[in-house]
Amino acid sequence: MRVVHLSLTNFRNYTRLELDLPEGVVLLLGDNAQGKTNLLEAIRFLSHIHSPRAKTDHELVNWLALQDNLPFARLVAQVQRGDETDQIELSLVQNNSGNHEEDGSGLRKHIRVNGSNKRATDAAGVLSTVLFLPEDINLVSGTPGSRRRYLDDFISQIDPRYGRELQHYNRVLTRRNLLLKSFRGRAADPAQFMFWDQRLIEHGTYLTIRRQTAIVQLNTLAQRIHSLLTEDQEWIRLAYCSNVLDVEPSAAFQMELPTGLPTFEGTMAVQGVAASFAARLREAQEKEFEQGMSTIGPHRDDLRFLANGVDMNTYGSRGQQRTVALSLKLAEVESLSMEKNDKPVLLLDDIMSELDAAHRDCVLQAVDRAQQVIITATDTASFGQEFLAKASLWQVQGGRISRLAL
């Protein structure tokens, strides 16, 4: 898979860009704040239909366009997959109806794939990408919310249904929390929650099983990669922490679930998770009434990383956490390649200077196997002459991109 052509209008510092991208390695060179990361963000935005950096879509629109009466931004990518080419178009336009988007930006997303209007959940994953960032270490050392977002983004690329179930779950969760809050401090009839509990279990069960199957696969791939990165000095295990399943990160095993996409056709896995979810809701009923919020469900999930049995989230050194995060990202590349029978586009944002020689070599092996890799850097010091000879070099300056000769 590769991006053949990228078109940007009023996106970040790009007022207008038309860029043909070649296969292989594309190396974007330039000083800081020139637009290198913005280009990667644009491709990632088209892949996941949300930005990895911005809190609201309003931040993505070029500041000059924001001064217009009808500010807008437009991103278009032509994506080649084998002999087929898809076009993904994403526009951010002023919401004239007065109804704001959920992020409060006052902008609406218009998404089209091959000329047809699409929902975000159906367009996500048409272009598969894996983004490497210097701050990926926060996947290990950061908050549970960041790890849940990582899992949601990863799974949504391979399973459109997952995104829809996640949307349904979040809507039900919001309604249920409002109801709990309204009864806080006074007597509540559990029967009034029966409908919302059933919906929470229905959608939450799918999320729980899908996350578990994804983590099982990532765990298998990450173990092999981490062993290579640490020269067999560390073994790693990814542990799924769910208060629905009540699986502790220190457990010596993980609950086995089907490796394929789960269905709601009465499989043992679905029945078991749903029954466990219902039991935990009953147990937490009094506590939830007191607190006025939902405390059970996949919105409280976490992902823990154990290296030689030690919890890296809490006790890992910065170097260990960086290695674990890199193992996870490289496992994500392999998992997407297996699930979609096509290699994702790799986006590397100035990470080579952050890695030692052994870790750089491991990343470069993944680069060699990809059809297209886009790397940002301030200079070529972290790359050997053999690597540079195979790469396409581009200069990024003030939102403009031009080809360089080595």
Side-chain angles (χ1 to χ4, degrees):
M1 178 177 293
R2 73 182 183 99
V3 177
V4 179
H5 184 81
L6 180 67
S7 173
L8 302 179
T9 305
N10 294 333
F11 180 83
R12 293 288 194 182
N13 69 329
Y14 292 98
T15 54
R16 184 68 178 169
L17 175 71
E18 298 291 338
L19 183 64
D20 291 322
L21 289 164
E23 286 190 65
V25 177
V26 176
L27 183 56
L28 302 176
L29 298 170
D31 294 334
N32 293 327
Q34 299 303 305
K36 303 189 302 297
T37 300
N38 293 344
L39 189 88
L40 299 191
E41 181 183 21
I43 296 173
R44 181 71 166 185
F45 192 31
L46 287 161
S47 171
H48 286 68
I49 319 301
H50 69 82
S51 167
R53 302 164 63 204
K55 293 182 179 179
T56 70
D57 290 340
H58 189 271
E59 299 173 34
L60 304 176
V61 181
N62 183 277
W63 70 274
L64 290 174
L66 287 173
Q67 300 176 22
D68 295 339
N69 291 330
L70 294 174
F72 79 99
R74 181 172 178 266
L75 304 84
V76 184
Q78 293 180 1
V79 181
Q80 184 176 340
R81 298 185 296 172
D83 296 329
E84 299 181 358
T85 301
D86 294 317
Q87 178 168 295
I88 309 169
E89 178 182 344
L90 202 161
S91 299
L92 301 174
V93 297
Q94 182 69 43
N95 189 347
N96 292 323
S97 66
N99 295 321
H100 291 331
E101 293 285 286
E102 290 184 3
D103 66 6
S105 68
L107 298 173
R108 293 196 314 273
K109 285 192 183 83
H110 288 296
I111 307 161
R112 296 168 68 88
V113 177
N114 298 328
S116 300
N117 292 327
K118 295 290 183 181
R119 294 177 298 182
T121 53
D122 295 323
V126 172
L127 166 61
S128 296
T129 62
V130 176
L131 175 64
F132 293 76
L133 297 167
E135 57 265 32
D136 281 342
I137 190 173
N138 293 332
L139 285 172
V140 182
S141 62
T143 64
S146 65
R147 290 185 283 275
R148 287 193 295 271
R149 285 191 295 272
Y150 169 79
L151 285 173
D152 292 339
D153 284 348
F154 167 62
I155 301 171
S156 294
Q157 288 201 82
I158 56 181
D159 180 9
R161 179 182 173 183
Y162 181 88
R164 294 192 292 273
E165 295 288 345
L166 181 63
Q167 281 188 345
H168 293 320
Y169 179 86
N170 286 333
R171 291 191 187 110
V172 171
L173 182 65
T174 298
R175 297 288 185 86
R176 189 175 186 270
N177 280 338
L178 287 173
L179 187 60
L180 283 168
K181 188 175 181 180
S182 69
F183 281 102
R184 188 176 183 182
R186 59 193 179 92
D189 181 2
Q192 293 180 276
F193 291 83
M194 186 176 299
F195 172 81
W196 297 113
D197 286 356
Q198 289 173 345
R199 299 287 78 77
L200 200 72
I201 291 169
E202 175 187 342
H203 301 302
T205 293
Y206 190 91
L207 301 182
T208 299
I209 292 179
R210 201 64 189 92
R211 285 177 180 178
Q212 172 70 13
T213 57
I215 290 171
V216 167
Q217 185 180 69
L218 287 172
N219 180 62
T220 300
L221 297 170
Q223 284 179 342
R224 177 180 55 79
I225 294 168
H226 195 78
S227 180
L228 291 173
L229 287 174
T230 61
E231 298 180 331
D232 294 325
Q233 296 300 305
E234 287 183 357
W235 59 267
I236 190 177
R237 183 168 69 82
L238 278 58
Y240 181 32
C241 304
S242 165
N243 61 16
V244 169
L245 301 176
D246 200 21
V247 177
E248 294 296 329
S250 58
F253 62 93
Q254 295 215 65
M255 187 180 77
E256 293 184 1
L257 291 171
T259 54
L261 287 178
T263 66
F264 278 70
E265 303 299 328
T267 64
M268 292 296 291
V270 172
Q271 291 176 350
V273 173
S276 178
F277 201 157
R280 295 307 306 278
L281 284 175
R282 288 192 296 270
E283 293 171 6
Q285 194 172 83
E286 184 176 343
K287 179 181 179 181
E288 289 188 334
F289 287 162
E290 291 177 357
Q291 295 185 353
M293 62 185 299
S294 301
T295 61
I296 301 297
H299 62 287
R300 293 296 187 94
D301 281 355
D302 199 0
L303 174 61
R304 311 297 287 181
F305 303 91
L306 306 176
N308 293 345
V310 177
D311 186 345
M312 290 291 99
N313 303 64
T314 304
Y315 301 108
S317 67
R318 294 288 289 179
Q320 286 177 309
Q321 290 174 340
R322 190 178 301 281
T323 303
V324 169
L326 182 57
S327 298
L328 179 65
K329 283 289 186 171
L330 292 172
E332 181 186 354
V333 174
E334 293 197 17
S335 181
L336 281 172
S337 300
M338 292 164 55
E339 290 283 350
K340 306 193 75 168
N341 197 28
D342 198 358
K343 298 184 185 304
V345 176
L346 304 189
L347 307 172
L348 281 65
D349 187 23
D350 198 24
I351 71 161
M352 302 306 285
S353 60
E354 300 280 333
L355 303 175
D356 59 27
H359 291 178
R360 278 201 300 269
D361 288 343
C362 205
V363 172
L364 292 178
Q365 288 177 25
V367 165
D368 286 339
R369 293 192 293 268
Q371 185 178 2
Q372 187 177 56
V373 184
I374 304 175
I375 306 174
T376 69
T378 54
D379 54 52
T380 60
S382 299
F383 307 94
Q385 288 302 313
E386 183 179 351
F387 178 86
L388 293 173
K390 296 186 294 184
S392 300
L393 273 60
W394 298 77
Q395 178 74 39
V396 182
Q397 187 172 15
R400 296 179 181 275
I401 300 179
S402 57
R403 190 75 178 260
L404 288 175
L406 184 63

PDB file of all heavy atoms in Angstrom, residues 1 35 37 45-46 49 51 55 82 87 110 120 169-171 196 206 209 237 246-247 256 291 313 328 336 351 369 384:
ATOM      1  N   MET A   1       0.844  -1.192   0.000  1.00  0.00           N
ATOM      2  CA  MET A   1       0.000   0.000   0.000  1.00  0.00           C
ATOM      3  C   MET A   1       0.877   1.238   0.000  1.00  0.00           C
ATOM      4  O   MET A   1       1.907   1.281   0.665  1.00  0.00           O
ATOM      5  CB  MET A   1      -0.908  -0.004   1.235  1.00  0.00           C
ATOM      6  CG  MET A   1      -1.793   1.212   1.373  1.00  0.00           C
ATOM      7  SD  MET A   1      -2.889   1.119   2.787  1.00  0.00           S
ATOM      8  CE  MET A   1      -3.962  -0.236   2.306  1.00  0.00           C
ATOM      9  N   GLY A  35       6.903  22.188   8.674  1.00  0.00           N
ATOM     10  CA  GLY A  35       5.768  21.459   8.106  1.00  0.00           C
ATOM     11  C   GLY A  35       6.010  19.973   7.906  1.00  0.00           C
ATOM     12  O   GLY A  35       5.153  19.287   7.333  1.00  0.00           O
ATOM     13  N   THR A  37       6.231  17.427  10.204  1.00  0.00           N
ATOM     14  CA  THR A  37       5.288  16.643  11.002  1.00  0.00           C
ATOM     15  C   THR A  37       3.858  16.874  10.535  1.00  0.00           C
ATOM     16  O   THR A  37       3.024  15.959  10.570  1.00  0.00           O
ATOM     17  CB  THR A  37       5.425  16.998  12.488  1.00  0.00           C
ATOM     18  OG1 THR A  37       6.757  16.713  12.927  1.00  0.00           O
ATOM     19  CG2 THR A  37       4.452  16.184  13.339  1.00  0.00           C
ATOM     20  N   PHE A  45      -4.271  11.582   9.429  1.00  0.00           N
ATOM     21  CA  PHE A  45      -5.639  12.070   9.542  1.00  0.00           C
ATOM     22  C   PHE A  45      -6.544  11.382   8.523  1.00  0.00           C
ATOM     23  O   PHE A  45      -7.662  10.956   8.829  1.00  0.00           O
ATOM     24  CB  PHE A  45      -5.629  13.584   9.324  1.00  0.00           C
ATOM     25  CG  PHE A  45      -6.914  14.283   9.689  1.00  0.00           C
ATOM     26  CD1 PHE A  45      -7.724  13.816  10.702  1.00  0.00           C
ATOM     27  CD2 PHE A  45      -7.292  15.436   9.010  1.00  0.00           C
ATOM     28  CE1 PHE A  45      -8.909  14.478  11.045  1.00  0.00           C
ATOM     29  CE2 PHE A  45      -8.461  16.101   9.349  1.00  0.00           C
ATOM     30  CZ  PHE A  45      -9.273  15.613  10.360  1.00  0.00           C
ATOM     31  N   LEU A  46      -6.063  11.235   7.299  1.00  0.00           N
ATOM     32  CA  LEU A  46      -6.824  10.553   6.254  1.00  0.00           C
ATOM     33  C   LEU A  46      -6.967   9.064   6.550  1.00  0.00           C
ATOM     34  O   LEU A  46      -7.926   8.427   6.121  1.00  0.00           O
ATOM     35  CB  LEU A  46      -6.145  10.752   4.901  1.00  0.00           C
ATOM     36  CG  LEU A  46      -6.281  12.155   4.293  1.00  0.00           C
ATOM     37  CD1 LEU A  46      -5.224  12.389   3.224  1.00  0.00           C
ATOM     38  CD2 LEU A  46      -7.673  12.349   3.721  1.00  0.00           C
ATOM     39  N   ILE A  49      -9.097   9.322  10.310  1.00  0.00           N
ATOM     40  CA  ILE A  49     -10.185  10.302  10.316  1.00  0.00           C
ATOM     41  C   ILE A  49     -10.197  11.104  11.623  1.00  0.00           C
ATOM     42  O   ILE A  49     -11.213  11.654  12.024  1.00  0.00           O
ATOM     43  CB  ILE A  49     -11.571   9.644  10.042  1.00  0.00           C
ATOM     44  CG1 ILE A  49     -11.438   8.589   8.945  1.00  0.00           C
ATOM     45  CG2 ILE A  49     -12.572  10.707   9.592  1.00  0.00           C
ATOM     46  CD1 ILE A  49     -10.925   9.074   7.612  1.00  0.00           C
ATOM     47  N   SER A  51      -7.075  13.451  14.120  1.00  0.00           N
ATOM     48  CA  SER A  51      -5.672  13.835  14.230  1.00  0.00           C
ATOM     49  C   SER A  51      -5.008  13.179  15.436  1.00  0.00           C
ATOM     50  O   SER A  51      -5.623  13.070  16.498  1.00  0.00           O
ATOM     51  CB  SER A  51      -5.561  15.358  14.343  1.00  0.00           C
ATOM     52  OG  SER A  51      -4.255  15.740  14.742  1.00  0.00           O
ATOM     53  N   LYS A  55      -6.479  18.601  19.510  1.00  0.00           N
ATOM     54  CA  LYS A  55      -7.612  18.332  20.391  1.00  0.00           C
ATOM     55  C   LYS A  55      -8.935  18.634  19.689  1.00  0.00           C
ATOM     56  O   LYS A  55      -9.956  18.009  19.968  1.00  0.00           O
ATOM     57  CB  LYS A  55      -7.492  19.161  21.669  1.00  0.00           C
ATOM     58  CG  LYS A  55      -6.323  18.746  22.558  1.00  0.00           C
ATOM     59  CD  LYS A  55      -6.277  19.572  23.831  1.00  0.00           C
ATOM     60  CE  LYS A  55      -5.119  19.143  24.715  1.00  0.00           C
ATOM     61  NZ  LYS A  55      -5.024  19.951  25.960  1.00  0.00           N
ATOM     62  N   GLY A  82      -2.276  -2.790  -4.434  1.00  0.00           N
ATOM     63  CA  GLY A  82      -2.162  -3.751  -5.529  1.00  0.00           C
ATOM     64  C   GLY A  82      -2.427  -3.056  -6.848  1.00  0.00           C
ATOM     65  O   GLY A  82      -1.791  -2.059  -7.194  1.00  0.00           O
ATOM     66  N   GLN A  87      -9.549   6.780  -3.694  1.00  0.00           N
ATOM     67  CA  GLN A  87      -9.367   8.188  -3.358  1.00  0.00           C
ATOM     68  C   GLN A  87     -10.129   8.495  -2.082  1.00  0.00           C
ATOM     69  O   GLN A  87     -11.317   8.222  -1.970  1.00  0.00           O
ATOM     70  CB  GLN A  87      -9.857   9.108  -4.479  1.00  0.00           C
ATOM     71  CG  GLN A  87      -9.710  10.597  -4.126  1.00  0.00           C
ATOM     72  CD  GLN A  87      -9.917  11.516  -5.295  1.00  0.00           C
ATOM     73  OE1 GLN A  87      -9.139  11.497  -6.249  1.00  0.00           O
ATOM     74  NE2 GLN A  87     -10.959  12.335  -5.249  1.00  0.00           N
ATOM     75  N   HIS A 110     -16.620  16.241   6.251  1.00  0.00           N
ATOM     76  CA  HIS A 110     -17.235  15.591   5.108  1.00  0.00           C
ATOM     77  C   HIS A 110     -16.229  14.563   4.592  1.00  0.00           C
ATOM     78  O   HIS A 110     -15.095  14.925   4.241  1.00  0.00           O
ATOM     79  CB  HIS A 110     -17.571  16.597   4.003  1.00  0.00           C
ATOM     80  CG  HIS A 110     -18.728  17.489   4.324  1.00  0.00           C
ATOM     81  ND1 HIS A 110     -20.001  17.016   4.510  1.00  0.00           N
ATOM     82  CD2 HIS A 110     -18.795  18.836   4.500  1.00  0.00           C
ATOM     83  CE1 HIS A 110     -20.817  18.023   4.770  1.00  0.00           C
ATOM     84  NE2 HIS A 110     -20.106  19.138   4.793  1.00  0.00           N
ATOM     85  N   ALA A 120     -17.200   8.149   9.344  1.00  0.00           N
ATOM     86  CA  ALA A 120     -15.806   8.043   9.778  1.00  0.00           C
ATOM     87  C   ALA A 120     -15.427   6.599  10.072  1.00  0.00           C
ATOM     88  O   ALA A 120     -14.314   6.155   9.745  1.00  0.00           O
ATOM     89  CB  ALA A 120     -15.574   8.911  11.013  1.00  0.00           C
ATOM     90  N   TYR A 169     -21.236   2.386  22.204  1.00  0.00           N
ATOM     91  CA  TYR A 169     -20.901   2.211  23.617  1.00  0.00           C
ATOM     92  C   TYR A 169     -20.750   3.559  24.319  1.00  0.00           C
ATOM     93  O   TYR A 169     -21.272   3.767  25.418  1.00  0.00           O
ATOM     94  CB  TYR A 169     -19.621   1.391  23.760  1.00  0.00           C
ATOM     95  CG  TYR A 169     -19.192   1.184  25.195  1.00  0.00           C
ATOM     96  CD1 TYR A 169     -19.698   0.120  25.941  1.00  0.00           C
ATOM     97  CD2 TYR A 169     -18.296   2.050  25.809  1.00  0.00           C
ATOM     98  CE1 TYR A 169     -19.327  -0.058  27.265  1.00  0.00           C
ATOM     99  CE2 TYR A 169     -17.920   1.875  27.124  1.00  0.00           C
ATOM    100  CZ  TYR A 169     -18.434   0.814  27.853  1.00  0.00           C
ATOM    101  OH  TYR A 169     -18.070   0.640  29.166  1.00  0.00           O
ATOM    102  N   ASN A 170     -20.030   4.482  23.681  1.00  0.00           N
ATOM    103  CA  ASN A 170     -19.794   5.784  24.305  1.00  0.00           C
ATOM    104  C   ASN A 170     -21.095   6.571  24.474  1.00  0.00           C
ATOM    105  O   ASN A 170     -21.272   7.289  25.465  1.00  0.00           O
ATOM    106  CB  ASN A 170     -18.791   6.584  23.476  1.00  0.00           C
ATOM    107  CG  ASN A 170     -17.376   6.061  23.626  1.00  0.00           C
ATOM    108  OD1 ASN A 170     -17.024   5.472  24.653  1.00  0.00           O
ATOM    109  ND2 ASN A 170     -16.552   6.256  22.609  1.00  0.00           N
ATOM    110  N   ARG A 171     -22.015   6.443  23.513  1.00  0.00           N
ATOM    111  CA  ARG A 171     -23.305   7.125  23.653  1.00  0.00           C
ATOM    112  C   ARG A 171     -24.097   6.539  24.821  1.00  0.00           C
ATOM    113  O   ARG A 171     -24.690   7.273  25.618  1.00  0.00           O
ATOM    114  CB  ARG A 171     -24.099   6.995  22.354  1.00  0.00           C
ATOM    115  CG  ARG A 171     -23.524   7.782  21.181  1.00  0.00           C
ATOM    116  CD  ARG A 171     -24.479   7.820  20.022  1.00  0.00           C
ATOM    117  NE  ARG A 171     -23.875   8.419  18.840  1.00  0.00           N
ATOM    118  CZ  ARG A 171     -23.561   7.755  17.741  1.00  0.00           C
ATOM    119  NH1 ARG A 171     -23.832   6.459  17.659  1.00  0.00           N
ATOM    120  NH2 ARG A 171     -23.020   8.368  16.714  1.00  0.00           N
ATOM    121  N   TRP A 196     -30.279   0.433  29.906  1.00  0.00           N
ATOM    122  CA  TRP A 196     -28.938   0.944  29.630  1.00  0.00           C
ATOM    123  C   TRP A 196     -27.871  -0.093  29.975  1.00  0.00           C
ATOM    124  O   TRP A 196     -26.848  -0.182  29.280  1.00  0.00           O
ATOM    125  CB  TRP A 196     -28.700   2.232  30.420  1.00  0.00           C
ATOM    126  CG  TRP A 196     -29.640   3.321  30.018  1.00  0.00           C
ATOM    127  CD1 TRP A 196     -30.624   3.870  30.767  1.00  0.00           C
ATOM    128  CD2 TRP A 196     -29.704   3.964  28.736  1.00  0.00           C
ATOM    129  NE1 TRP A 196     -31.304   4.825  30.046  1.00  0.00           N
ATOM    130  CE2 TRP A 196     -30.767   4.908  28.803  1.00  0.00           C
ATOM    131  CE3 TRP A 196     -28.983   3.842  27.551  1.00  0.00           C
ATOM    132  CZ2 TRP A 196     -31.105   5.711  27.721  1.00  0.00           C
ATOM    133  CZ3 TRP A 196     -29.329   4.650  26.471  1.00  0.00           C
ATOM    134  CH2 TRP A 196     -30.366   5.575  26.563  1.00  0.00           C
ATOM    135  N   TYR A 206     -18.477  -6.693  22.744  1.00  0.00           N
ATOM    136  CA  TYR A 206     -17.743  -6.724  21.476  1.00  0.00           C
ATOM    137  C   TYR A 206     -16.382  -6.052  21.624  1.00  0.00           C
ATOM    138  O   TYR A 206     -15.356  -6.578  21.169  1.00  0.00           O
ATOM    139  CB  TYR A 206     -18.544  -6.049  20.365  1.00  0.00           C
ATOM    140  CG  TYR A 206     -17.941  -6.273  18.995  1.00  0.00           C
ATOM    141  CD1 TYR A 206     -18.318  -7.350  18.211  1.00  0.00           C
ATOM    142  CD2 TYR A 206     -16.967  -5.418  18.493  1.00  0.00           C
ATOM    143  CE1 TYR A 206     -17.753  -7.574  16.974  1.00  0.00           C
ATOM    144  CE2 TYR A 206     -16.397  -5.626  17.255  1.00  0.00           C
ATOM    145  CZ  TYR A 206     -16.797  -6.704  16.492  1.00  0.00           C
ATOM    146  OH  TYR A 206     -16.217  -6.926  15.266  1.00  0.00           O
ATOM    147  N   ILE A 209     -13.916  -8.316  23.715  1.00  0.00           N
ATOM    148  CA  ILE A 209     -13.403  -9.477  22.983  1.00  0.00           C
ATOM    149  C   ILE A 209     -12.450  -9.036  21.880  1.00  0.00           C
ATOM    150  O   ILE A 209     -11.381  -9.635  21.686  1.00  0.00           O
ATOM    151  CB  ILE A 209     -14.561 -10.301  22.391  1.00  0.00           C
ATOM    152  CG1 ILE A 209     -15.359 -10.974  23.518  1.00  0.00           C
ATOM    153  CG2 ILE A 209     -14.045 -11.359  21.424  1.00  0.00           C
ATOM    154  CD1 ILE A 209     -16.541 -11.782  23.042  1.00  0.00           C
ATOM    155  N   ARG A 237       5.658  -9.466  27.986  1.00  0.00           N
ATOM    156  CA  ARG A 237       4.284  -9.937  27.856  1.00  0.00           C
ATOM    157  C   ARG A 237       3.337  -8.755  27.960  1.00  0.00           C
ATOM    158  O   ARG A 237       3.492  -7.910  28.841  1.00  0.00           O
ATOM    159  CB  ARG A 237       3.932 -10.972  28.932  1.00  0.00           C
ATOM    160  CG  ARG A 237       2.513 -11.531  28.762  1.00  0.00           C
ATOM    161  CD  ARG A 237       2.304 -12.749  29.642  1.00  0.00           C
ATOM    162  NE  ARG A 237       2.275 -12.414  31.059  1.00  0.00           N
ATOM    163  CZ  ARG A 237       1.183 -11.951  31.701  1.00  0.00           C
ATOM    164  NH1 ARG A 237       0.063 -11.761  31.026  1.00  0.00           N
ATOM    165  NH2 ARG A 237       1.222 -11.679  32.987  1.00  0.00           N
ATOM    166  N   ASP A 246     -11.895  -9.129  34.878  1.00  0.00           N
ATOM    167  CA  ASP A 246     -11.177  -9.234  36.150  1.00  0.00           C
ATOM    168  C   ASP A 246      -9.881 -10.016  35.991  1.00  0.00           C
ATOM    169  O   ASP A 246      -9.562 -10.904  36.771  1.00  0.00           O
ATOM    170  CB  ASP A 246     -12.059  -9.893  37.224  1.00  0.00           C
ATOM    171  CG  ASP A 246     -11.547  -9.577  38.628  1.00  0.00           C
ATOM    172  OD1 ASP A 246     -10.811  -8.590  38.764  1.00  0.00           O
ATOM    173  OD2 ASP A 246     -11.867 -10.335  39.562  1.00  0.00           O
ATOM    174  N   VAL A 247      -9.124  -9.692  34.923  1.00  0.00           N
ATOM    175  CA  VAL A 247      -7.826 -10.320  34.678  1.00  0.00           C
ATOM    176  C   VAL A 247      -6.743  -9.411  35.233  1.00  0.00           C
ATOM    177  O   VAL A 247      -6.626  -8.256  34.841  1.00  0.00           O
ATOM    178  CB  VAL A 247      -7.595 -10.548  33.167  1.00  0.00           C
ATOM    179  CG1 VAL A 247      -6.212 -11.119  32.920  1.00  0.00           C
ATOM    180  CG2 VAL A 247      -8.656 -11.498  32.618  1.00  0.00           C
ATOM    181  N   GLU A 256      -7.978 -17.292  26.887  1.00  0.00           N
ATOM    182  CA  GLU A 256      -7.936 -17.579  25.471  1.00  0.00           C
ATOM    183  C   GLU A 256      -9.292 -17.288  24.843  1.00  0.00           C
ATOM    184  O   GLU A 256     -10.330 -17.698  25.330  1.00  0.00           O
ATOM    185  CB  GLU A 256      -7.549 -19.039  25.224  1.00  0.00           C
ATOM    186  CG  GLU A 256      -6.116 -19.357  25.647  1.00  0.00           C
ATOM    187  CD  GLU A 256      -5.722 -20.776  25.301  1.00  0.00           C
ATOM    188  OE1 GLU A 256      -6.569 -21.479  24.726  1.00  0.00           O
ATOM    189  OE2 GLU A 256      -4.598 -21.152  25.608  1.00  0.00           O
ATOM    190  N   GLN A 291     -21.326   7.055  43.645  1.00  0.00           N
ATOM    191  CA  GLN A 291     -20.396   7.924  42.935  1.00  0.00           C
ATOM    192  C   GLN A 291     -21.051   8.682  41.789  1.00  0.00           C
ATOM    193  O   GLN A 291     -20.506   9.680  41.301  1.00  0.00           O
ATOM    194  CB  GLN A 291     -19.219   7.101  42.396  1.00  0.00           C
ATOM    195  CG  GLN A 291     -18.356   6.494  43.491  1.00  0.00           C
ATOM    196  CD  GLN A 291     -17.129   5.787  42.930  1.00  0.00           C
ATOM    197  OE1 GLN A 291     -16.980   5.628  41.722  1.00  0.00           O
ATOM    198  NE2 GLN A 291     -16.253   5.359  43.816  1.00  0.00           N
ATOM    199  N   ASN A 313       5.232  -0.309  33.003  1.00  0.00           N
ATOM    200  CA  ASN A 313       4.467   0.934  33.109  1.00  0.00           C
ATOM    201  C   ASN A 313       4.900   1.734  34.329  1.00  0.00           C
ATOM    202  O   ASN A 313       4.966   2.962  34.291  1.00  0.00           O
ATOM    203  CB  ASN A 313       2.972   0.635  33.208  1.00  0.00           C
ATOM    204  CG  ASN A 313       2.445  -0.172  32.035  1.00  0.00           C
ATOM    205  OD1 ASN A 313       2.859  -1.309  31.848  1.00  0.00           O
ATOM    206  ND2 ASN A 313       1.537   0.403  31.261  1.00  0.00           N
ATOM    207  N   LEU A 328       6.178  -2.724  20.488  1.00  0.00           N
ATOM    208  CA  LEU A 328       4.743  -2.673  20.235  1.00  0.00           C
ATOM    209  C   LEU A 328       4.453  -2.104  18.848  1.00  0.00           C
ATOM    210  O   LEU A 328       3.614  -2.646  18.110  1.00  0.00           O
ATOM    211  CB  LEU A 328       4.062  -1.821  21.306  1.00  0.00           C
ATOM    212  CG  LEU A 328       2.550  -1.642  21.165  1.00  0.00           C
ATOM    213  CD1 LEU A 328       1.825  -2.971  21.340  1.00  0.00           C
ATOM    214  CD2 LEU A 328       2.033  -0.622  22.177  1.00  0.00           C
ATOM    215  N   LEU A 336      -0.892  -5.541  11.170  1.00  0.00           N
ATOM    216  CA  LEU A 336      -1.674  -4.939  10.094  1.00  0.00           C
ATOM    217  C   LEU A 336      -1.383  -5.615   8.755  1.00  0.00           C
ATOM    218  O   LEU A 336      -2.295  -5.842   7.954  1.00  0.00           O
ATOM    219  CB  LEU A 336      -1.386  -3.443   9.994  1.00  0.00           C
ATOM    220  CG  LEU A 336      -2.077  -2.535  11.006  1.00  0.00           C
ATOM    221  CD1 LEU A 336      -1.544  -1.114  10.906  1.00  0.00           C
ATOM    222  CD2 LEU A 336      -3.585  -2.544  10.797  1.00  0.00           C
ATOM    223  N   ILE A 351      12.344  10.023  14.636  1.00  0.00           N
ATOM    224  CA  ILE A 351      12.654   9.104  15.737  1.00  0.00           C
ATOM    225  C   ILE A 351      14.043   8.490  15.622  1.00  0.00           C
ATOM    226  O   ILE A 351      14.558   7.959  16.606  1.00  0.00           O
ATOM    227  CB  ILE A 351      11.622   7.961  15.843  1.00  0.00           C
ATOM    228  CG1 ILE A 351      11.764   6.979  14.672  1.00  0.00           C
ATOM    229  CG2 ILE A 351      10.211   8.492  15.935  1.00  0.00           C
ATOM    230  CD1 ILE A 351      11.135   5.644  14.947  1.00  0.00           C
ATOM    231  N   ARG A 369      11.039  -3.660   4.405  1.00  0.00           N
ATOM    232  CA  ARG A 369       9.946  -4.558   4.008  1.00  0.00           C
ATOM    233  C   ARG A 369       8.686  -3.808   3.585  1.00  0.00           C
ATOM    234  O   ARG A 369       7.767  -4.396   3.033  1.00  0.00           O
ATOM    235  CB  ARG A 369       9.613  -5.512   5.160  1.00  0.00           C
ATOM    236  CG  ARG A 369      10.721  -6.503   5.488  1.00  0.00           C
ATOM    237  CD  ARG A 369      10.229  -7.586   6.423  1.00  0.00           C
ATOM    238  NE  ARG A 369       9.898  -7.064   7.740  1.00  0.00           N
ATOM    239  CZ  ARG A 369      10.755  -7.006   8.758  1.00  0.00           C
ATOM    240  NH1 ARG A 369      12.000  -7.412   8.596  1.00  0.00           N
ATOM    241  NH2 ARG A 369      10.375  -6.534   9.934  1.00  0.00           N
ATOM    242  N   GLY A 384      22.912   6.158   6.946  1.00  0.00           N
ATOM    243  CA  GLY A 384      24.111   5.800   6.196  1.00  0.00           C
ATOM    244  C   GLY A 384      23.970   6.132   4.729  1.00  0.00           C
ATOM    245  O   GLY A 384      22.870   6.345   4.213  1.00  0.00           O
TER     246      GLY A 384
END
